[in-house]
Amino acid sequence: MKKKLLLGIFATGALVGALSTKAIAQVEEELSPEEEIRLVQEFNRMLAEGINPGEIWYEVGKEAIKKYNLDKCDLGLGPGVFKGAAAQMPRYFADAGKVMDLETRVGWCLQKYAGMSKEDVLKFVRQCWGKTGNCVSEYDGIIMYLTMESNGHKINVNLKDPRVKRMYDLGKQVYYTRMGPWDFNCATCHAGKQEVRIRATKLWSADRPGEAGNAVSIFPKYLVRWGLPMTMHYRYAECMRQMRWPEFIPHSDLGVALSTYLYGLANGTEIKAPGIGR
Amino acid sequence: MKRIVGLMIVSGILIGGVVAQEKGGKVKKQESVRQEEVRELMKSGFSNDPRFAWKLNQDEAQKICSQYPSRESMPASAIQKVIELSTSGINYPQWGIYWGDWKEGKKLVESPRGGRFASYGFSDNPADKGGNCYACHLIEKGMPGGTMGPNLYQYGKRWNITKENMNSPETIEKLRIVYNIIYNSWSAFPCSSMPRFGYHGSLSPNDVANIVAFLLHPESPVNK
């Protein structure tokens, strides 16, 4: 583990160096074919060597949890009990009176135990959004740490709880809602029996068994082209931007509903964070 | 007249090809949550920044399409309604259907930009526009593309458009059929995955005419 981690730090250093010519870009450039090929090679090398720079965020998160008093945070198994906790979320929380997924719950705990306002939390969550290269966010670290504490545990969303089931149903409705100036819904890309590609990218489908599980169980997912791990709520925001939908607010009930539907579909899949992608 | 019937058969075959690619799945109209609840949930989950808020408005056709996971699961009445809603509002260029500039069309086909806004970066410029057609279609030989939509390689050749017949009334009618599909795909394929580019104003009538020219013109690289 330690050796892997060191390798990871080394690899990130090299990557950041390679990317620094572009610095922290505000607009994601369309990649030239050469850059695209270089990224794919870099990605393949990391896969082959078992390197995942995303693991660095585990240590970042471990520190941040102490710093922000999140050892008091109850993810459903008791305050500070994190082993396997992420695997049983989203779930209903009596203290908040609502169903929450991991990220929303962390936001709730940051307000309660770290003295953050709602606005502070949003800023904290989105500090690396839209940035590429060398952006390390404590929030991403916290989510990485808490998810990796459930590695090896099977996703187990309790759909027998009617409050959870309701969020699942709402999430499913959202999944099929066609909206916006390009008429998309989630199912435009992620449904259907037949496998299709968007350019070179194979799309997973909610209609093909196991694929939703494979997709969500590796989040947060380290993205080689951005040099940072992408959490689920950042993924939702980016999907919706591509769909030409309005801008997504992280930790909203909309996010919780989508998580409940997707992790509900993924029930039984082992968590293996962080994943890695181009 | 015979020719027009022939044309309809051709377009029928093309349409059939696309239908076969549509998603499978059974009707599962959910009744456990009310549509108003879904709307409220969505409203609360999006920024109320006026630059985005208008995107929350759903039109009638979108509302119908949201109820079914695929066209196969739609009742005939719903299909009929979406076609009616979609055919009525198609606008043409000022001088009617004409051969656009395929070189301009090529730029629009290749550009993935337009309409992707967010306050946190990675945004398109407001003036950006493009169809991002390669995301879903294979079009020019040798250009990588997606497989969500039908392969459009040599599309003009498949419509039997040649240098000799390209200004005949039959060919102009073919241009109109393809124009309608790009302007409002739901007029031909109700609830298709393909955005209604002209209907929403993402592309102007002249933009659509240019893209039609790129797909169908005998000199376009698509038909080489």
Side-chain angles (χ1 to χ4, degrees), chain B residues 10-145:
Chain B
V10 170
S11 56
I13 291 166
L14 286 170
I15 290 169
V18 175
V19 171
Q21 292 216 359
E22 288 291 319
K23 291 150 189 151
K26 296 252 153 58
V27 199
K28 266 195 188 140
K29 278 182 87 173
Q30 299 259 339
E31 306 297 346
S32 56
V33 286
R34 288 177 297 117
Q35 275 310 307
E36 301 81 70
E37 289 180 274
V38 180
R39 294 301 297 166
E40 273 312 302
L41 176 88
M42 293 185 79
K43 242 196 216 160
S44 71
F46 291 119
S47 161
N48 55 11
D49 186 324
R51 284 175 300 168
F52 321 114
W54 63 275
K55 295 181 173 182
L56 259 167
N57 301 327
Q58 247 189 331
D59 73 5
E60 205 182 335
Q62 284 177 329
K63 280 182 190 158
I64 297 172
C65 296
S66 299
Q67 293 172 35
Y68 308 96
S70 72
R71 189 154 63 243
E72 285 68 32
S73 60
M74 289 172 75
S77 60
I79 292 177
Q80 192 57 38
K81 183 74 191 157
V82 173
I83 292 179
E84 274 168 28
L85 287 167
S86 305
T87 27
S88 56
I90 296 181
N91 293 323
Y92 296 96
Q94 196 179 356
W95 311 114
I97 289 289
Y98 70 108
W99 277 105
D101 179 346
W102 67 259
K103 284 174 187 150
E104 287 301 312
K106 181 180 160 79
K107 287 183 204 160
L108 292 166
V109 163
E110 289 174 3
S111 171
R113 294 185 176 277
R116 296 174 301 185
F117 295 106
S119 63
Y120 54 82
F122 292 166
S123 289
D124 293 335
N125 289 318
D128 287 341
K129 62 178 174 182
N132 199 15
C133 308
Y134 277 105
C136 298
H137 297 282
L138 289 158
I139 308 169
E140 236 184 276
K141 201 178 184 181
M143 291 277 280

Side-chain angles (χ1 to χ4, degrees), chain A residues 68 107-122 124 138:
Chain A
Y68 295 104
W108 188 86
C109 285
L110 284 168
Q111 286 186 52
K112 195 159 161 100
Y113 303 117
M116 287 190 189
S117 69
K118 215 172 175 188
E119 286 68 39
D120 294 337
V121 172
L122 276 185
F124 190 60
E138 286 176 316

Side-chain angles (χ1 to χ4, degrees), chain A residues 39-67:
Chain A
L39 275 179
V40 172
Q41 284 172 342
E42 188 77 42
F43 169 62
N44 287 342
R45 188 181 62 81
M46 286 183 183
L47 264 191
E49 295 176 11
I51 297 171
N52 190 330
E55 288 172 10
I56 294 165
W57 273 260
Y58 180 89
E59 299 298 330
V60 175
K62 205 172 180 179
E63 292 303 311
I65 279 173
K66 281 183 230 151
K67 182 172 160 191

